[in-house]
Amino acid sequence: MHIARDRRVLAFGAHPDDIEAGAGGLVARFAAAGARPTMVVTSIPNRYQKRLVEAREGAAALGAELVLLRDDASSRVEDYEMHDLVHRYEQMIARVSPDVVITHGPSDTHWDHFLVHRATLAALRRTRCDVVLYDAGPPIGSRLRTGLFIDIEPVLDTKLSAVAAHATQFSAAAVEGRREAARAIGASCGLRFAEVFEPQRLYA
Ligand SMILES: [Zn+2]
């Protein structure tokens, strides 16, 4: 994947903390290259004010712009009709005109994450851009054999501080768990620290 200043990057997450946990290193790599990624958080399911602050801190740590699909109250991804969710994502895609889209993968057992995955692909059906898929939790085993590995060693501390911003979701030990996960993914591909993605489509 070509990581450069001139690439327009759009990341989708079901909840605050998903992008940071699953793709924070890649987003931070783009930001470090001079790009200004956009992070779309689809819903804040609970503790609205507190998690809103966390979402802002997480995006700021990564160097990304935060967009909340709904910015006035707690909600669930399932509150949206699928056609409405796809339409809202289409509006984001029209606004950002992305070269790269980062979104949830299809194997995620969290239903909200799967809905975001489906809605993103539907919204992208007429858009030519790179699309890579992440796991918000530990990556599934097959990904470690066939995935797209991203070196996140230069931005590891940035990613972990963005994850740590979500204090309602990640204890200090859980943040360290993310460091160890990055180390384990790296160990499977000859890097010190890595994230792994499923390439849905790659043009550049
Ligand atoms: Zn989530």
Side-chain angles (χ1 to χ4, degrees):
M1 160 150 344
H2 182 50
I3 297 175
R5 174 193 184 91
D6 63 351
R7 302 211 84 196
R8 295 179 299 266
V9 180
L10 180 57
F12 289 93
H15 312 112
D17 79 297
D18 289 335
I19 298 169
E20 285 88 330
L26 179 56
V27 171
R29 285 282 313 272
F30 276 109
R36 176 76 171 155
T38 300
M39 292 168 51
V40 176
V41 169
T42 307
S43 77
I44 296 181
N46 49 44
R47 303 172 76 178
Y48 181 80
Q49 286 302 335
K50 199 166 184 57
R51 295 194 69 181
L52 175 62
V53 171
E54 292 177 352
R56 287 175 175 156
E57 287 181 4
L62 295 180
E65 177 200 9
L66 175 69
V67 175
L68 290 161
L69 220 55
R70 178 169 179 184
D71 63 359
D72 59 344
S74 291
S75 64
R76 302 196 66 85
V77 176
E78 280 188 293
D79 293 345
Y80 295 100
E81 297 284 349
M82 185 50 93
H83 68 86
D84 183 31
L85 188 57
V86 171
H87 177 64
R88 287 166 186 257
Y89 285 2
E90 285 170 345
Q91 290 177 316
M92 284 306 308
I93 291 160
R95 195 187 112 188
V96 173
S97 188
D99 303 299
V100 182
V101 168
I102 304 165
T103 192
H104 287 284
S107 306
D108 200 312
T109 51
H110 193 313
W111 183 240
D112 286 353
H113 297 181
F114 182 72
L115 291 175
V116 169
H117 164 73
R118 291 303 314 168
T120 310
L121 294 194
L124 285 167
R125 66 198 178 281
R126 287 190 289 268
T127 302
R128 178 193 158 103
C129 64
D130 291 351
V131 182
V132 296
L133 311 177
Y134 68 87
D135 300 302
I140 61 171
S142 64
R143 193 91 77 240
L144 297 179
R145 292 192 295 275
T146 61
L148 170 72
F149 292 95
I150 300 293
D151 181 2
I152 65 164
E153 184 177 356
V155 295
L156 182 68
D157 289 341
T158 301
K159 168 176 174 150
L160 294 181
S161 63
V163 171
H166 298 274
T168 61
Q169 311 300 308
F170 287 89
S171 65
V175 173
E176 280 308 300
R178 289 303 167 139
R179 182 194 307 275
E180 292 314 311
R183 194 193 309 276
I185 295 168
S188 70
C189 66
L191 293 167
R192 282 195 69 205
F193 297 98
E195 286 176 343
V196 63
F197 297 85
E198 178 179 337
Q200 175 81 21
R201 4 171 174 139
L202 287 177
Y203 298 93

